[in-house]
Amino acid sequence: MRRKLVLGNWKMNGSRVDAHSWAAAAAAVAAATANADVGVIPPVVFLDVVRAASDSSPLWLGAQNVAAYDNGAYTGEVSARMLAESGVRCVLVGHSERRQVFGESDVVVAEKYVRALAAGLTPVLCLGETLEERERGATDAVVLRQLQAVIDAAGAASLSDAVLAYEPVWAIGTGRTASPAQAQEVHALIRSAIAKHDAMLSSLVRILYGGSVKGSNAAELFAQSDVDGGLIGGASLVPADFDAICRAANQDG
Ligand code: PGA
């Protein structure tokens, strides 16, 4: 049985005051949900605020981005080792906003994944198709291509130290959630692709769903057999909503 995981991705939102109150609420629900893991992924300048507000809570601390390089003349970048030293446990790689707004290719995403692993961080590898790709029937090919780029760079066995997140781009921040059946179909596809390398590993790897998850739809998404929790954007900025989502994961855990 895979333990559910709920991660709140704050994106580029909030102030230090907000960060403190969101983190305190998340730390409280993390402590109250014994059957599920809970984490928050703040802007990197708020890591210290979240750490202070969640002291002695099991809350996971995440980062939204990581450099594809170890160290050196890369102005504006933050390395995986720096994140690890700052208490970060997991880092998003391949989020669709990084792929689309910042033009990160599969190769760059795979480099970031490798750096994260090397620093002892858990990469949260995001996979997902755009609306145009879904409409022309390319969902499976896109998701499998994104997964394969990481397997080529780091090997399938590396997935035992990673978390996957299926995030259809058309569902992110749009209020348009994938139906539980649509999510399950792609999650099962991802799991069966991993099973071709290692059946045991495929049964253990956690695959989160992301894209307009709310308190009102979390339970039915998390009830799908291959959905192991959620990557939550907008609803993670509203403590009551994030709380409800974490409790839905805990029920199912
Ligand atoms: P959303 O974002 O929940 O606001 O759709 C999800 C994400 O981008 O991870």
Side-chain angles (χ1 to χ4, degrees):
M1 186 65 186
R2 294 176 297 272
R3 196 174 153 81
K4 294 270 193 298
L5 169 64
V6 177
L7 295 173
N9 171 14
W10 296 353
K11 308 192 182 186
M12 198 175 74
N13 290 296
S15 62
R16 289 179 76 80
V17 170
D18 293 328
H20 188 274
S21 67
W22 296 340
V29 73
T33 50
N35 300 327
D37 295 319
V38 173
V40 294
I41 309 180
V44 73
V45 290
F46 298 156
L47 285 172
D48 64 324
V49 181
V50 176
R51 258 200 334 263
S54 61
D55 191 33
S56 80
S57 151
L59 188 73
W60 286 32
L61 185 57
Q64 297 175 14
N65 188 25
V66 62
Y69 310 97
D70 274 337
N71 63 280
Y74 301 105
T75 301
E77 292 291 291
V78 176
S79 76
R81 206 167 311 280
M82 292 167 187
L83 293 174
E85 274 194 339
S86 305
V88 165
R89 171 164 186 172
C90 64
V91 61
L92 300 181
V93 294
H95 190 280
S96 68
E97 288 153 18
R98 300 298 316 175
R99 293 182 191 265
Q100 303 213 312
V101 183
F102 299 98
E104 290 184 9
S105 66
D106 289 344
V107 169
V108 168
V109 171
E111 279 168 4
K112 293 183 171 200
Y113 175 96
V114 168
R115 301 282 177 229
L117 282 176
L121 300 175
T122 300
V124 180
L125 173 65
C126 304
L127 312 169
E129 80 289 1
T130 64
L131 183 59
E132 183 272 321
E133 288 163 340
R134 174 162 282 262
E135 285 176 345
R136 68 178 155 84
T139 299
D140 295 8
V142 169
V143 168
L144 294 179
R145 187 202 74 221
Q146 292 171 340
L147 177 64
Q148 191 60 44
V150 161
I151 292 177
D152 289 345
S158 73
L159 294 168
S160 66
D161 296 318
V163 168
L164 299 179
Y166 170 55
E167 294 212 309
V169 179
W170 48 271
I172 295 177
T174 59
R176 185 174 163 192
T177 317
S179 69
Q182 283 173 322
Q184 169 57 27
E185 194 183 341
V186 180
H187 283 233
L189 171 84
I190 294 167
R191 203 178 298 288
S192 69
I194 298 168
K196 289 184 185 138
H197 297 274
D198 184 334
M200 174 62 97
L201 169 61
S202 80
S203 72
L204 296 175
V205 67
R206 290 193 275 198
I207 309 177
L208 313 184
Y209 168 79
S212 299
V213 178
K214 306 183 259 293
S216 56
N217 60 21
E220 56 175 0
L221 286 159
F222 297 166
Q224 302 301 307
S225 59
D226 288 300
V227 176
D228 306 313
L231 179 54
I232 318 302
S236 74
L237 308 178
V238 183
D241 288 350
F242 191 63
D243 191 279
I245 293 166
C246 295
R247 287 176 195 278
N250 192 53
Q251 289 280 310
D252 217 80

